[in-house]
Amino acid sequence: MTEEGILKEIPWSTKNILAERFYQKLVAESGWFEGVIQHMATVGSFYETLIRSTLKEYLPSNHKIGTGFVFDSQTEKHGRQLDILIYDDTNIGVLYKSDEFVVVYPGSVVAVSEIKKTLTNRNIKKVIENSVLNNLGSAMDGTYGLQRMHIFGFNCNTSIESVFNGVCNSIKAVFKKYASPENIDIISAISLPQIYFLNLDYYIESTIKPNSAITYDIEVILHKVDRFQSTGHYLDAMLIEDQSKTTPYERRYLSQKVRRIPEERKELKLYLPLFSKYPIIDIFESFKMSRQYFEQINKRNSDNALSVYIPISNTLKQYTNIDKLLDNDNVFIEYRSEKGETEKYLIRACDIL
């Protein structure tokens, strides 16, 4: 590697000390417990507790771990209870907390995970259906501001090829309604599944790829990895460490950053229109004269503007004034009809100018 004209040698090591320790503890503890306790309900909760207690040994001190819900205050909705919820309440308080049970805002979320004693296509499909459109915060690496649902399985009773195809089919089923560009039905939150195995040398990654200013495709990738690497990548994903605090070539012994060529990948052409949702009050605070502007529009249409949707890859700061914002073909306004409190509709901002 050359840096400022100086050739540097970077030693390559396959050691993953932390990943191996994590793996070995999970194998030992789960094997011992199942040899003693046979009650299925107890065994199920044991696996969640084992992961939480083990992850706690590795977490940065500003990250806390529990189980509970993520409550989206914009929509006043929440998804199902999460087995593992890692959050940072340094600057944002929680809505509720009792021991390890918490209810937090999306902005507090670091990482989320579901734990399965035995992974099947059926329970993977259920997790994807219940979580993929929930607002679980933003992934800390900043990839389009999207979150990831990390699914960890101690055992897998089917072939990896079947699991991989099952993930692809489940994602396509959820987003089937968004597959047509004729009718814009925008998405303001997305949590993509990542799947890790204790007993298989694979992990499955899903990510999004832009295909236009506002739409994205999903790519699902099957990685063949060495022993301990699936648990290592899970550990790496759950910790979300601040890389700026380490030297450039300092190893963390979690997972190999240089990956092999994936075993298989599928690009799902789904036409996903992804937008960030901004309450109208945020627009008023960000742009001068915007309140008066919307008051005039509301009087003319007899409806009330609720929110503004802009492409998820953009921010409000990119627009210098309210006219620049509303003159964009890819900006939408959500209105509530005067006819009823629950009746809402979307319209392109440029169409009302």
Side-chain angles (χ1 to χ4, degrees):
M1 179 177 179
T2 302
E3 183 175 312
E4 296 180 355
I6 301 174
L7 188 64
K8 291 190 175 183
E9 181 180 354
I10 303 176
W12 173 247
S13 171
T14 58
K15 288 183 180 179
N16 292 283
I17 300 169
L18 297 181
E20 292 183 18
R21 175 172 169 256
F22 183 67
Y23 169 86
Q24 290 167 356
K25 179 171 182 178
L26 296 184
V27 170
E29 293 284 334
S30 59
W32 176 87
F33 185 82
E34 286 191 37
V36 177
I37 305 297
Q38 302 299 321
H39 185 249
M40 292 306 296
T42 305
V43 170
S45 60
F46 165 78
Y47 281 97
E48 299 170 20
T49 304
L50 173 59
I51 292 286
R52 279 200 298 273
S53 62
T54 307
L55 283 174
K56 196 177 295 184
E57 301 175 19
Y58 298 83
L59 286 176
S61 60
N62 62 317
H63 291 172
K64 297 178 181 177
I65 187 168
T67 178
F69 297 89
V70 179
F71 179 78
D72 185 351
S73 59
Q74 287 189 14
T75 61
E76 297 187 349
K77 294 180 180 179
H78 63 81
R80 297 199 175 190
Q81 183 173 347
L82 298 160
D83 296 337
I84 306 290
L85 178 52
I86 297 177
Y87 62 99
D88 184 352
D89 62 355
T90 305
N91 299 308
I92 306 175
V94 301
L95 276 166
Y96 179 81
K97 183 176 182 179
S98 177
D99 294 328
E100 285 197 326
F101 181 84
V102 292
V103 181
V104 302
Y105 296 104
S108 301
V109 176
V110 174
V112 293
S113 178
E114 289 288 287
I115 309 301
K116 299 298 178 185
K117 175 184 181 293
T118 302
L119 273 176
T120 65
N121 280 333
R122 183 177 180 181
N123 58 35
I124 290 174
K125 178 182 178 182
K126 190 173 181 180
V127 172
I128 291 174
E129 289 176 345
N130 292 336
S131 65
V132 75
L133 289 176
N134 289 345
N135 186 357
L136 300 177
S138 295
M140 300 298 281
D141 65 4
T143 306
Y144 305 111
L146 308 177
Q147 185 56 276
R148 295 172 176 84
M149 168 58 73
H150 303 283
I151 306 170
F152 187 88
F154 281 76
N155 300 288
C156 185
N157 67 355
T158 187
S159 68
I160 189 64
E161 292 79 12
S162 177
V163 173
F164 179 71
N165 291 326
V167 171
C168 295
N169 293 335
S170 297
I171 292 174
K172 284 192 289 187
V174 172
F175 290 110
K176 187 176 180 180
K177 62 177 291 190
Y178 304 99
S180 172
E182 284 76 27
N183 298 309
I184 288 288
D185 193 354
I186 66 180
I187 305 169
S188 57
I190 182 172
S191 300
L192 297 177
Q194 322 291 311
I195 304 178
Y196 312 85
F197 308 87
L198 185 68
N199 69 327
L200 295 178
D201 295 329
Y202 293 92
Y203 74 96
I204 297 173
E205 175 187 18
S206 55
T207 185
I208 58 174
K209 299 174 65 177
N211 61 28
S212 75
I214 61 172
T215 60
Y216 298 79
D217 293 322
I218 292 180
E219 185 175 48
V220 184
I221 307 167
L222 174 63
H223 292 281
K224 179 74 172 70
V225 292
D226 294 331
R227 190 173 178 85
F228 310 119
Q229 280 295 299
S230 192
T231 49
H233 280 284
Y234 174 75
L235 184 59
D236 200 3
M238 296 303 289
L239 297 189
I240 312 293
E241 298 177 322
D242 185 352
Q243 298 299 321
S244 68
K245 302 298 183 182
T246 61
T247 58
Y249 312 120
E250 189 172 0
R251 280 184 55 78
R252 291 292 297 116
Y253 298 105
L254 296 172
S255 60
Q256 294 178 13
K257 296 301 182 184
V258 179
R259 298 177 180 173
R260 293 177 175 177
I261 297 174
E263 188 83 356
E264 187 176 353
R265 65 170 73 221
K266 288 186 180 180
E267 188 171 330
L268 311 180
K269 293 290 185 179
L270 295 173
Y271 190 79
L272 303 181
L274 303 181
F275 289 78
S276 296
K277 179 180 180 180
Y278 292 88
I280 199 67
I281 190 64
D282 288 359
I283 305 301
F284 294 163
E285 293 176 355
S286 299
F287 302 101
K288 293 180 179 179
M289 306 301 294
S290 59
R291 181 184 293 271
Q292 294 90 324
Y293 186 91
F294 275 97
E295 285 176 351
Q296 293 176 2
I297 296 175
N298 291 345
K299 289 178 181 178
R300 187 168 69 238
N301 296 340
S302 299
D303 294 336
N304 296 311
L306 299 175
S307 308
V308 174
Y309 292 81
I310 69 172
I312 205 167
S313 56
N314 295 352
T315 65
L316 282 180
K317 293 181 180 179
Q318 292 180 236
Y319 303 96
T320 55
N321 55 58
I322 188 64
D323 291 328
K324 292 281 187 182
L325 175 69
L326 300 183
D327 195 33
N328 193 308
D329 288 343
N330 296 324
V331 172
F332 289 78
I333 301 176
E334 180 183 42
Y335 283 93
R336 173 177 289 153
S337 172
E338 192 182 49
K339 299 175 183 177
E341 290 187 0
T342 59
E343 187 175 336
K344 300 177 183 178
Y345 63 92
L346 287 169
I347 189 170
R348 288 184 192 272
C350 61
D351 291 342
I352 64 172
L353 292 178

